[in-house]
Structures are given as C-alpha cells and as structure tokens.
C-alpha cells in the first residue's frame, strides 16, 4: 500500500485519467515494538516475501508478526506456480524454524526451480486455520516473478499415447538450452482418473535442446477404457534441470475427451442464443450462425480445457495504436472466456448453473459485448473502461486458478463474492496519480487482471481506481459464472463506478469501498456482507436519495449519496468497533475523531454537509466507546491500547 504524503487525503488517478482526492488513512507513524502487559497474544504468521536464490530455487519468507510463538505441529505451507499446486509442506518440516518466534522471520527454499518470464507464484500459510491468529486475511501472497536467465536442460512430458495393445507410452522432451546428461534417472508418477497407477524409474538418454525420448514402462500400464491419464516427471536433483514446475501432462485416453455434454448444453436455446460474437461486418451473430470453422475452434478450446491444457494467449494482447487489439487476439480471448464458462457448467465446478441466469446475465458471460468493444471500420477490438471496467481480462483460466487455489470459491455465489471482497480488502490498494501503469503492470493498456492479483516483483496489488476494482470483480468472478457489471454513481466529487451482482441482488456504493480506511479489517472484523445493499435499497439511498434540507439549504443528489455512504460506513465502524475510529483517536486524539464524525476531511479542513454525520451527543457517545475499547485492548492502560492499535494498523497496511 502506498503511503500518502498528505496526512488527510490521497491524490489518486482514475481510469479517466483525471485527478481526484479521496479520504484515506493518515500517514504512517513509526511505532516502537510493543507487547501488552500480562500474557502475550497469539502468533500472526504471514508469507512476507516470494523470491528466488542464485540457482532460481523458489524461496518463501515467513514472518511471525504476532506476540506469541507459532505452536509446534500446526499449519502447512502451500505453493502454487502458474495455477498448479506444486508444494505442500508441514511448517514443522521446514529446515529453518526461526519464524516461530515472535517478531522473527525465516526465508525457506522449497523444492521448486523456475525459469522463464512472468511466472505466477502463490504462497498460502495455514490454509486449514490451525494456528490461532488475530488476522487470517493476509495468509496468502501472490506475485509475478521473472527469474534471471539460467541455461540448462528442461524436461517436459510432451505427449502421452497408447501403443496397439493399450499400454501407455510417454514422450519426454527437452525444451531447455543445453543437453542433459546421459542415463539421467527420472521418475514418472502415473495416475489414472485421479488414482495412483505406477511410479516408473527410467534412465533417459542424453537429450539435446529440442530432443525427445520414448519411455515404455517396463511393467506396462494398460488403459482399457476411456480415462484421464496424468504423468508427472521428477528428477533426483533440483539442478538436473532449470525448471521442474512444467513437468506434468494429462490427457483423456484412448479416444480423447468427449464433446457430447457440450453439444447438449449449447443446443439449449438459452445458451445458444446468448453465444454472441461480433464478426468483421459488425453484426452480432449467435452460435447458430457461426461458420463450421468457428464452431470447430470453440470445440478445440473446450477439448484443451477438458485435457487440462492451457488455452489462449500466453500474455496480455499486443496493442495497436495504444488501445486496440487484433481480431485474431480478440477471438482467442473470447473463445477462452466462453470455453471457461461452459467447462465450469459441464463439470459442475460450482453449485450454481448458467441455466438459472436470465438472458441478460447470460449475455454478460457468453456474449462479447460486456467483454470488449468492437470497431467495424478497424476490424479491431479493445478492452475499455465503460464495458468491463478498467481491466484487461485476457485469460479467464488464470482468474479461475487464483480463486480456487486461494479457496475463494464458496458454497454459493454470495459467499464467493464476499470471499473475493475480503481478499481485496486485505491486499488491494488504489493507484496514485504519480504512479506509472507501465511500471505497476508491465503493460501500456488497461491493467491486466493477472498483474493486479499477482503483482509484479517490487510492486503491490494496485487497482486503477473504482473502475479498475469493478473490472477486477468482473474478470475474476466471470471465471466461475458469476456475472458482474458496473454501474455509475454520482457522488459529491464526480461520477464513480460500483459493481453490480445482479444474480444475487447485491451491490455496494463505490468500487473503492474495499480499501476505504473506514472499514479497514486490521482489528475487529466488519463482515463483507455488511458492506453490501440490495439493488432496491441501493437505488433509494444512493441513486435517487431524498436530499437533506435545512432552511432551504439542501444537499445535491451526489452530496446526499456521499453523505449516506460515509455515515453508513462510520456506523459500521462503531457497531463493530473497527480500527478506523480507534486509530484516529490513538494518533490524533478525541478532538480529531470528533471532527471526522462531523463531516468529510478535505485538505485538513472539515466540510459538513447539511447535517453532520452524527449529532453532538452521538459523537460524544462514540468517542466514549472508543476510549473504553482502547483501554480494554491495553489491559486497562489507554496509552498501551493506543500503541497496540497503531502497530496493528501499520502492519496491516505494510503487508498489502
């Protein structure tokens, strides 16, 4: 999270590239280490950093920011690379156990060596919530890592096939930059339909770059009926190859994956008629009017997903004239999104169904209009702010893997939305006017969704304002068939974006609400559900509110909407005794907090609306409640409570 120079406001850049000022947390004040009197509190273990050592071996830095010791025998560390679960370690098995001590950290290598560019790495500490912690929201760390270029062999399982008697044959290739040693022992772990079938040890011949070898297991593995066959190759030493994260392959054998279920799904008019794509003539065409080759290309995408293969572009699309992309790239992106939606439906990945959505909601997921804008004169497409939001949603599979790996997909659409909201609250920040998107995201167009959730090394998870946050919701949740659109709301300082979750009748006042300081979840937790409104309540309170008036002086509609939103948030902060109220008192005293409860702070000056947020007596009662809470936190000592709150707020922000 970036720290504003001004203690009361933050200058931000919205996707419309105008500057605007919004309230934010006060500038951080260094706080000395502080431990409450009496018994120490619990541990608070986080993955602090992801890096590679001099051999490109992945390292995870674990840090205990709590007051207590991490208990022995509790907790695990999961590691994912490019969406694949590749590491699962008991914390007690790690070589360096220093991280268990309060205020201590350990940088531990994991048995993964990576190469290439823009590798998406995720670390998840204590996924089972075994360790008692005051804050469970920041137990994940996701980064895009490009390690230094190191030469050497690099093995892949390049193909799986069956010989005439039905026995499995594995083709191993070398996609590295140099030859492998002769008679190198490798292990092939074979599973059939998710059940372990064999562990095969084989001595590979020397393979030059681009070379391959055929492996026929000495004990044949016969596949007698259509099955999902997966093979993973491992070597004895990490240094045997430059990358051991790309060594698995899965295929349906012998006949390949079936499209029967997809054919039946697409045959339903509700699905078929909403598969709408704008071709070169600019006229939207439903699936029934696609050419045979276009339908075959969608089939190829579906078969790739069924086989566990990656489909689509390997990076954000190349830009033409600053914002446009080619028709070929746009078609690849669209096919990937449609294939993802249909794959989720056919495989019952989530407990909700495309068939339960309205035609309008299906159009958001299966049509091209919500995703990209089209220019018939250019025969080119673009991601643009007014469609999806300020986001480049180029690869839905990355979004899906992010959600599933971090366990954000829940038992219902609404719970999934809340889980994603909580990830945003604990990781996401608002772009600053001084920040360069090319540096933040490594891309000149609208921020790629993957570079927001997997921040580049040296960067943080940064949203392009409310338009970007609404777009990120859409990019992530459409991968699990939850439609998201964005609305526009007039507040006191201009027009902003907010997300609309029409399939569950929910929305919130402003995309920026997820990182507003008023609802900061560093201490007492305000549930994400409390931040949302039904669409009818939202309309009454924010789109068409009745303005307050005193003696002919009335709020504008935008001012009334902003007033209602801020008062609701302040009320939530009081109801849950959240850290915003506590830290304002702790840093600046009761008079400062009293001002914040009267009106908005602009440039250090309080500007009241027609009415203050709270009356004199209400403000006095809130401040008294804050003092009681701070003393409680400080074990009876007000100053101790203030120091503890400041410290935990600072930690929360710095960990974003």
């Amino acid at each position: 999270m970036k720290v504003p120079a001004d203690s009361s406001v933050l200058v931000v850049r919205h996707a419309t590239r105008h500057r605007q000022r919004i309230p934010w947390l006060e500038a951080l004040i260094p706080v000395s280490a502080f431990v409450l009197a009496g018994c120490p509190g619990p541990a608070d273990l986080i993955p602090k950093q992801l890096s590679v050592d001099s051999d490109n071996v992945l390292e995870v830095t674990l840090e205990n920011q709590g007051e207590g010791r991490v208990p022995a025998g509790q907790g695990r560390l999961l590691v994912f690379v490019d969406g694949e679960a590749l590491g699962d370690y008991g914390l007690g098995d790690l070589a360096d156990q220093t991280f268990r001590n309060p205020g201590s950290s350990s940088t531990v290598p994991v048995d993964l060596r990576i190469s290439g560019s823009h590798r998406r790495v995720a670390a998840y500490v204590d996924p089972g919530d075994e360790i008692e912690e005051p804050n469970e929201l920041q137990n994940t760390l996701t980064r895009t890592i490009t390690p230094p270029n190191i030469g050497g062999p690099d093995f892949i399982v390049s193909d799986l096939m069956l010989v005439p008697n039905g026995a499995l044959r594995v083709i191993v290739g070398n996609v590295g930059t140099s030859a492998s040693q002769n008679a190198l022992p490798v292990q092939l772990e074979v599973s059939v339909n998710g059940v372990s079938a064999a562990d095969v040890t084989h001595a590979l011949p020397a393979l030059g770059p681009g070379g391959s070898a055929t492996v026929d297991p000495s004990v044949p593995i016969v596949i007698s009926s259509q099955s999902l066959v997966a093979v993973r190759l491992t070597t004895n030493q990490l240094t045997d190859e430059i990358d051991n994260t790309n060594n698995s392959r899965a295929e349906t054998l012998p006949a390949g994956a079936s499209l029967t279920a997809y054919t039946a799904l697409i045959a339903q008019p509700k699905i078929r008629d909403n598969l709408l794509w704008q071709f070169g003539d600019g006229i939207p065409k439903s699936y029934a009017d696609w050419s045979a080759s276009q339908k075959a290309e969608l089939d190829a995408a579906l078969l790739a997903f069924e086989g566990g293969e990656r489909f689509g572009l390997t990076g954000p699309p190349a830009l033409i004239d600053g914002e446009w992309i080619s028709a070929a790239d746009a078609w690849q992106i669209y096919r990937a999104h449609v294939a993802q939606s249909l794959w989720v439906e056919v495989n019952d990945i989530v407990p909700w169904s495309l068939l339960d959505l309205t035609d309008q909601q299906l159009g958001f997921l299966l049509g091209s209009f919500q995703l990209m804008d089209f220019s018939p004169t250019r025969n080119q497409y673009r991601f643009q702010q007014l469609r999806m939001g300020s986001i480049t949603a180029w690869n839905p599979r990355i979004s899906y893997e992010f959600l599933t790996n971090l366990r954000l997909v829940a038992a219902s659409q609404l719970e999934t939305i809340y889980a994603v909201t909580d990830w945003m609250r604990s990781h996401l920040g608002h772009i600053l006017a001084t920040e360069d998107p090319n540096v933040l995201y490594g891309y000149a167009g609208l921020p790629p969704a993957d570079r927001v959730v997997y921040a580049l090394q040296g960067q943080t998870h940064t949203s392009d304002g409310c338009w970007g946050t609404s777009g990120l919701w859409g990019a992530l949740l459409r991968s699990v068939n939850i439609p998201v659109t964005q609305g526009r709301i007039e507040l006191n300082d201009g027009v902003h974006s907010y997300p609309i979750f029409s399939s569950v009748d929910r929305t919130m006042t402003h995309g920026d609400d997820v990182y507003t300081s008023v609802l900061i979840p560093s201490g007492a937790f305000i549930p994400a559900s409390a931040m949302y409104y039904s669409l009818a309540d939202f309309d009454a309170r924010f789109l068409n509110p009745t303005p307050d008036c005193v003696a002919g002086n009335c709020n504008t509609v935008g001012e009334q909407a902003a007033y209602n939103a801020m008062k609701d948030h302040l009320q939530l902060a009081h109801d849950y005794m959240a850290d915003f109220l506590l830290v304002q008192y702790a840093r600046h005293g009761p008079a400062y907090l009293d001002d914040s409860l009267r009106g908005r702070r602009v440039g250090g000056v309080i500007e009241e609306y027609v009415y203050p947020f709270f009356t004199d007596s209400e403000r006095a009662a809130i401040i008294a409640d804050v003092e009681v809470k701070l003393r409680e936190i400080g074990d009876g000592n007000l100053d101790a409570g203030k120091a503890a709150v400041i410290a935990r707020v600072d930690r929360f922000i710095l960990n974003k």
Side-chain angles (χ1 to χ4, degrees):
M1 179 67 68
K2 312 304 182 295
V3 180
D6 187 305
S7 65
S8 59
V9 293
L10 179 67
V11 179
V12 299
R13 182 183 60 78
H14 277 258
T16 49
R17 301 302 187 259
H18 70 277
R19 291 189 177 187
Q20 180 177 345
R21 301 173 76 84
I22 62 173
W24 191 247
L25 281 176
E26 298 81 10
L28 300 180
I29 299 174
V31 179
S32 59
F34 177 82
V35 179
L36 294 180
C39 296
D44 191 2
L45 187 64
I46 67 165
K48 184 67 175 178
Q49 184 175 333
L50 288 165
S51 57
V52 294
D53 68 9
S54 58
D55 284 327
N56 285 356
V57 175
L58 190 63
E59 299 177 318
V60 182
T61 299
L62 303 176
E63 184 170 291
N64 180 3
Q65 298 185 339
E67 298 167 7
R69 181 175 168 82
V70 176
Q74 294 183 5
R76 305 195 68 78
L77 168 65
L78 305 183
V79 180
F80 306 85
V81 179
D82 291 339
E84 187 175 358
L86 295 176
D88 184 350
Y89 312 92
L91 294 181
D93 297 330
L94 300 177
D96 186 346
Q97 296 286 301
T98 309
F99 66 86
R100 293 192 179 278
N101 301 320
S104 298
S105 65
S106 304
T107 297
V108 294
V110 295
D111 53 355
L112 299 172
R113 194 181 191 204
I114 63 175
S115 66
S117 62
H118 295 108
R119 305 301 301 275
R120 295 178 300 278
V121 182
Y124 194 159
V125 172
D126 191 30
D129 292 337
E130 300 174 59
I131 302 169
E132 180 188 354
E133 297 179 90
N135 186 341
E136 302 281 359
L137 292 183
Q138 293 182 318
N139 283 4
T140 62
L141 181 64
T142 49
R143 288 291 183 269
T144 298
I145 296 178
T146 297
N149 187 25
I150 295 178
D154 183 11
F155 301 114
I156 64 168
V157 179
S158 58
D159 199 5
L160 303 177
M161 61 184 66
L162 300 182
V163 297
N165 67 353
L168 177 66
R169 171 172 289 174
V170 180
I171 309 299
V172 176
N174 178 7
V175 294
T177 58
S178 63
S180 62
Q181 70 183 61
N182 189 37
L184 181 73
V186 299
Q187 292 75 47
L188 300 176
E189 302 170 33
V190 182
S191 67
V192 178
N193 294 325
V195 178
S196 178
D199 286 339
V200 178
T201 300
H202 185 84
L204 285 179
L207 297 179
S212 63
T214 298
V215 179
D216 290 318
S218 56
V219 177
I221 303 170
V222 178
I223 309 299
S224 57
S225 60
Q226 190 174 53
S227 304
L228 179 62
V229 181
V231 176
R232 177 162 182 78
L233 180 149
T234 58
T235 63
N236 290 336
Q237 305 292 331
L238 276 176
T239 52
D240 287 338
E241 58 175 331
I242 59 175
D243 192 333
N244 69 348
T245 67
N246 58 352
N247 297 0
S248 61
R249 184 179 184 88
E251 290 189 22
T252 301
L253 299 173
S258 171
L259 290 171
T260 301
Y262 293 100
T263 301
L265 178 63
I266 294 173
Q268 299 197 48
K270 193 170 187 177
I271 302 298
R272 181 193 63 221
D273 296 345
N274 282 296
L275 283 169
L276 289 164
W277 171 251
Q278 283 183 290
F279 292 98
D281 58 7
I283 300 174
K285 294 181 181 179
S286 70
Y287 181 85
D289 295 323
W290 292 8
S291 68
S293 63
Q294 290 155 354
K295 293 176 181 178
E297 288 170 2
L298 177 58
D299 288 347
L302 293 168
L303 289 172
F305 279 173
E306 281 295 321
E309 297 178 25
R310 307 232 181 266
F311 172 80
L313 303 180
T314 57
L319 296 172
I320 304 168
D321 296 334
E323 62 178 347
W324 296 92
I325 64 176
S326 69
D329 282 354
W331 173 240
Q332 279 267 76
I333 292 168
Y334 172 68
R335 275 195 296 157
H337 277 274
V338 169
Q340 175 69 24
S341 285
L342 300 182
W343 177 83
V344 167
E345 178 74 14
V346 163
N347 289 280
D348 295 322
I349 300 298
V350 295
W352 51 92
S353 173
L354 287 174
L355 299 174
D356 294 331
L357 300 177
T358 66
D359 282 336
Q360 183 182 44
Q361 292 162 353
L362 276 174
F364 297 148
L365 295 175
L366 302 180
S368 65
F369 304 99
Q370 178 68 12
L371 190 62
M372 288 177 283
D373 193 25
F374 175 62
S375 169
T377 57
R378 301 178 65 105
N379 192 28
Q380 292 169 354
Y381 299 75
R382 63 178 174 179
F383 291 95
Q384 64 127 316
Q385 175 190 314
L386 296 179
R387 291 277 189 198
M388 184 85 169
S390 186
I391 204 79
T392 296
W394 67 276
N395 191 317
R397 199 62 167 193
I398 295 175
S399 295
Y400 169 77
E401 291 166 345
F402 171 81
L403 294 179
T404 54
N405 290 345
L406 271 56
R407 304 185 180 183
L408 300 177
V409 180
S412 70
Q413 293 185 61
L414 200 52
E415 291 173 277
T416 301
I417 292 166
Y418 294 158
V420 173
T421 301
D422 282 337
W423 182 89
M424 291 180 173
R425 295 169 70 192
S426 57
H427 293 85
L428 201 60
H430 194 302
I431 196 169
L432 299 175
T434 55
E435 290 180 308
D436 182 355
N438 282 289
V439 174
L440 282 174
Y441 313 113
Y443 189 65
L446 297 179
D450 59 307
R451 307 283 174 84
V452 178
V453 296
Y454 293 94
L456 296 179
Q457 284 291 82
Q459 305 301 327
T460 57
H461 302 283
T462 304
S463 169
D464 199 7
C466 55
W467 303 91
T469 305
S470 293
L472 183 61
W473 261 304
L476 293 176
L477 291 173
R478 66 184 292 129
S479 74
V480 288
N481 288 343
I482 299 176
V484 185
T485 55
Q486 63 167 345
R488 292 145 184 82
I489 183 172
E490 181 183 350
L491 299 174
N492 57 280
D493 53 1
V495 178
H496 299 263
S497 171
Y498 64 93
I500 302 173
F501 307 95
S502 59
S503 60
V504 291
D505 187 29
R506 290 293 185 276
T507 187
M508 62 171 52
T509 55
H510 187 192
D512 287 340
D513 286 354
V514 294
Y515 34 74
T516 176
S517 59
V518 186
L519 303 179
I520 186 170
S522 53
F525 184 66
I526 301 172
S529 58
M531 301 168 61
Y532 282 90
Y533 300 85
S534 71
L535 298 180
D537 288 345
F538 180 82
D539 182 88
R541 284 192 63 73
F542 305 108
L543 296 183
N544 296 290
T546 301
D548 292 335
C549 294
V550 174
N553 179 28
C554 300
N555 290 330
T556 66
V557 168
E559 287 172 340
Q560 191 64 47
Y563 173 89
N564 290 346
M566 187 63 173
K567 183 169 183 178
D568 284 357
H569 287 176
L570 288 168
Q571 186 64 58
L572 283 174
H574 177 243
D575 291 344
Y576 290 90
M577 204 49 66
D579 275 355
F580 173 77
L581 302 179
L582 305 183
V583 81
Q584 292 233 327
Y585 185 108
R587 288 198 196 280
H588 304 296
Y592 188 93
L593 175 56
D594 183 76
D595 282 344
S596 298
L597 297 170
R598 288 194 298 111
R600 55 181 174 158
R601 193 180 302 274
V602 180
V605 176
I606 296 297
E607 295 183 359
E608 288 190 13
Y609 295 90
V610 169
Y611 292 119
F613 293 128
F614 299 97
T615 65
D616 292 351
S617 60
E618 288 171 336
R619 296 197 304 274
I622 291 173
I623 292 170
D625 289 343
V626 167
E627 291 175 348
V628 169
K629 187 63 178 180
L630 288 170
R631 291 184 188 278
E632 176 187 320
I633 293 171
D635 199 21
N637 185 303
L638 181 62
D639 288 336
K642 288 159 61 175
V645 168
I646 291 172
R648 75 187 185 192
V649 168
D650 287 354
R651 284 197 305 270
F652 186 87
I653 296 171
L654 290 174
N655 288 336
K656 278 197 170 187

